[in-house]
């Protein structure tokens, strides 16, 4: 289970997290601050919150937003079912916002109820959606031991110092320096003391918590080498990258549910086989039933792609059952689910044609399920010539993969033909 | 004209470019070095070459590749019609490769014919595909004046120095430092002298040309603030971002060619109107003709999207003419072209249906044109009810936009229905 009861943190410490989300996103060049930009339909901040919240040993997640975005943030928490979050009003700079977030654990004025002060507090960014439990645990452990710790990455470009005349003063030796990334973690008392001691100048112009604890608490943070996915969404291209990475992550597994009569069993077998070379396949050869625990397990195992193979002309009833099951899980809440209804036809009738009524029906159905974040597409596999069967099935698998990888909401309700 | 005869550089200097492309792409995590990774079907290095080559005042573009990739690079030059390129074998490090590239202008041994030594040489990366003429000109001008110049960008993360024990030593004040990016430019004699003077240690462990000219020629490079698109493709996410940016750039303009009978003129008018809210539209209301100079102008003006609206059941002949015209331009050579054949049907016959023969024919046609990098899709607009006409046209426009933005090669030959 992803969302278990609070577990025990590495080292047995109590841990909470503060996510500053007050930035204005100027570098992104849009009107919406980047933490509220939608990726696969969901605001970026929700991904970062989820990344923290799903770690069972993190107790509270404090999201600090600028006052004008408090309601937006509360709506996001409600809509995506976030459970551990407290929203706090930020200050005018990053440091002031983080300080406000920390006060929730120490001073009464900032929250209706004082939250349990954690031994270690994580500071992470609302615009770093891909942080894994592993690196968070490492940083927390290091913070417990050293008082402070932060993830680092190698520098991508050489760093140079410019002189007053706009010319090169000197370049830094790249190997000696690192980019300071997130997450960082601190003994709560240490970081809180640093914020209490620091000057207005620090609060207004500084950005680096590691620097504050070094300056005011003489704590040299432990640096922890992080993975490439810790990067911060800064520019529009980073939003594109985040979108592609999420689509990639959602395209790892497909569940193929086959319900066809004897004569079509071969196709029902060949299609999952053809898909297996490109994606992990869970094949179910039976009629759908609401009590099917195998399917329930697949759904709760975070499968976001379903292919229903059948030989009926219009199998909307069968798909409806699956839609109902998905709706009861929280899967389509967090990510769009792809559902492809595959219709097999091996009639040797050359005048086969697709009627407009069928098309209108699947479109109407798809428009309804889209509101539930389930993207329904139709696919017709026509295999009159047994010699071309394998080729047709391969072409169907290619179309299925394209629909899964793209998750294009504009193409829902269309009927593709393999 | 994009590819004119060599023009005059800013400041009237002669200019050539060296592109080191010898990297192994370890950080990308794939087997293919990143400069050879395909983005929209074309290797990244070809984008960087093109970005230099299309600048009329750049005479020669030297691409330095590791010996095992010489043939790959020559194939790329042939395939994408690059005209100004000389391929040079690289050394085992970045600096040794750049030095080899420079030698082509100064020493006979590295090229069959000695190229004309430029006054200013640009050094750019093969993995920075989006450099604009404007910044190249600025850097060249600054190099002419100061002897050296380089593009810089603000730091995205705080830079920190680590101590020997893996703990924080100190953080740098972010505002004083910059990331050193590309392009850079140098008076040829200055950079060449720096390379001749520098030590083996420099050649083996250094990466920064600005540092070399400072150290060996006492030349303080002028730093030129660059735009966000100068970033270097380093990680897999950067390839995703590059792909999305290119798709975005290709989706700025569509040419709608309408050829329908009087009764359908309204739809022929409404569709471009509906598209105009999302994309720049060039509308042509006439039959296609090979001598159509307006269409020719649109094609040579780098339009990558075409919509052919007609009332014939199967209009492959009409599309074929457009395909022929496109093939004669070099447009589909560099980028995939989207061609959507829209069929209008306003018959009140409820039993309208799509026959398999039509589908098979458009699929077969699309498979052939895909080899020419032209992606053909079908779209049926069915509008029996005049009251729903606007809604249907809007839905057609949304499908057209989805096809243009996605450029999905797997969905070619499919017939979508609005």
């Amino acid at each position: 289970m992803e969302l278990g009861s609070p577990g025990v943190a590495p080292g047995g410490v109590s841990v909470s997290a503060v996510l500053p989300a007050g930035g204005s996103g100027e570098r992104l060049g849009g009107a919406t601050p980047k933490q509220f930009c939608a990726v696969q339909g969901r605001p970026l901040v929700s991904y970062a919150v989820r990344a923290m919240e799903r770690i069972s040993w993190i107790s509270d997640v404090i999201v600090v937003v600028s006052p004008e975005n408090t309601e937006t943030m509360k709506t996001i928490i409600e809509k995506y079912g976030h459970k551990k979050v407290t929203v706090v009003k930020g200050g005018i700079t990053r440091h002031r916002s983080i300080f406000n977030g920390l006060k929730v654990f120490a001073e009464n004025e900032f929250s209706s109820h004082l939250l349990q002060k954690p031994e270690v507090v994580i500071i992470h960014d609302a615009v770093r959606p891909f942080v894994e439990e592993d690196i968070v645990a490492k940083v927390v452990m290091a913070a417990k031991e050293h008082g402070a710790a932060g993830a680092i990455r190698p520098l991508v470009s050489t760093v140079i110092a410019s002189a007053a005349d706009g010319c090169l003063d000197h370049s830094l030796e790249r190997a000696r320096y690192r980019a300071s990334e997130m997450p960082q973690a601190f003994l709560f008392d240490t970081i809180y003391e640093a914020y209490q001691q620091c000057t207005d100048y620090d609060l207004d112009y500084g950005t680096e918590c590691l620097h504050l604890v070094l300056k005011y608490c003489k704590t040299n943070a432990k640096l922890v080498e992080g993975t490439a996915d810790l990067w911060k969404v800064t520019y529009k291209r980073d939003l594109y990258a985040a979108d592609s990475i999420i689509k990639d992550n959602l395209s790892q597994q497909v569940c193929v549910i086959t319900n066809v009569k004897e004569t079509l069993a071969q196709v029902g077998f060949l299609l999952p086989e053809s898909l297996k070379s490109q994606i992990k396949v869970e094949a179910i050869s039976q009629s759908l039933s609401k009590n099917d625990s195998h399917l329930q397990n697949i759904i709760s195992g975070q499968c976001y792609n379903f292919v229903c193979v059948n030989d009926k002309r219009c199998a909307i009833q069968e798909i409806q059952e699956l839609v109902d099951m998905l709706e009861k899980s929280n899967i389509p809440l967090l990510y769009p689910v792809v559902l492809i209804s595959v219709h097999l036809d091996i009639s040797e009738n050359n005048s086969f044609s697709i009627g407009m009524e069928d098309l209108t029906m699947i479109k109407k159905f798809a428009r309804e399920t889209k509101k539930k974040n389930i993207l329904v597409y139709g696919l017709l596999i026509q295999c009159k010539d047994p010699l071309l069967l394998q080729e047709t099935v391969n072409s169907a698998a290619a179309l299925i993969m394209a629909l899964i990888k793209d998750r294009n909401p504009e193409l829902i309700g269309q009927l593709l033909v393999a």
Side-chain angles (χ1 to χ4, degrees), chain A residues 48-69:
Chain A
V49 165
R50 174 84 182 149
M52 289 291 142
E53 188 176 64
R54 70 178 176 193
I55 298 176
S56 60
W57 42 265
I58 293 181
S59 310
D60 288 295
V61 179
I62 313 302
V63 180
V64 192
V65 294
S66 57
E68 66 270 26
N69 289 319

Side-chain angles (χ1 to χ4, degrees), chain A residues 135 138-139 150-155 178-179 223-227 230:
Chain A
I135 181 77
K138 277 184 189 156
V139 170
I152 53 166
R153 288 286 303 157
L155 292 173
R178 293 286 181 279
L223 305 177
V224 181
E225 200 73 49
T227 49
L230 288 181

Side-chain angles (χ1 to χ4, degrees), chain A residues 190-241:
Chain A
T190 304
I191 184 76
Y192 200 67
E193 196 197 322
Y195 271 109
Q196 283 177 310
Q197 305 249 333
C198 75
T199 64
D200 275 344
Y201 186 87
D202 287 320
L203 288 175
D204 287 338
Y205 298 102
T207 53
E208 178 61 284
C209 300
L210 299 184
H211 176 69
L212 288 190
V213 294
L214 177 62
K215 189 169 168 192
Y216 294 103
C217 306
K218 308 276 174 283
T219 299
N220 287 71
K222 179 74 182 174
L223 305 177
V224 181
E225 200 73 49
T227 49
D229 56 3
L230 288 181
W231 108 108
K232 173 166 67 168
V233 173
T234 307
Y235 298 106
K236 196 174 179 191
R237 66 168 184 266
D238 296 316
L239 276 179
Y240 287 143

Side-chain angles (χ1 to χ4, degrees), chain A residues 75-135:
Chain A
T75 310
I76 290 168
I77 290 163
E78 175 88 5
K79 180 167 179 191
Y80 298 104
H82 297 304
K83 300 284 182 232
K84 299 180 179 176
V85 179
T86 302
V87 178
V88 170
K89 281 187 186 136
I92 49 166
T93 65
R94 179 179 163 87
H95 268 333
R96 289 185 189 277
S97 290
I98 296 173
F99 195 12
N100 280 5
L102 294 172
K103 283 177 186 166
V104 171
F105 300 108
E107 296 178 24
N108 263 315
E109 55 177 312
F110 276 82
S111 178
S112 48
H113 63 294
L114 197 64
L115 293 170
Q116 178 72 45
K117 190 182 86 174
E119 199 174 335
V120 170
V121 64
I122 297 161
I123 299 180
H124 190 62
D125 279 331
V127 290
R128 298 186 193 249
F130 300 115
V131 60
E132 294 292 336
E133 178 165 349
D134 183 50
I135 181 77

Side-chain angles (χ1 to χ4, degrees), chain A residues 379-396:
Chain A
L379 174 60
L380 176 68
I381 302 184
Q382 224 215 351
C383 29
K384 285 176 292 194
D385 184 345
L387 291 175
L388 295 176
L389 186 59
Q390 184 65 57
E391 197 184 310
T392 309
V393 167
N394 288 346
S395 134

Side-chain angles (χ1 to χ4, degrees), chain A residues 257-296:
Chain A
I257 302 155
T258 312
N259 185 16
V260 293
K261 56 175 174 279
E262 205 69 0
T263 47
L264 289 165
Q266 202 195 350
V267 185
F269 170 78
L270 286 176
L271 185 62
E273 285 305 307
S274 180
L275 282 166
K276 271 178 193 167
S277 62
Q278 303 167 74
I279 190 171
K280 189 180 164 219
V281 178
E282 291 278 353
I284 301 181
S285 300
Q286 63 191 70
S287 151
L288 260 180
S289 140
K290 282 179 194 176
N291 298 317
D292 184 338
S293 62
H294 185 193
L295 184 58
Q296 284 286 10

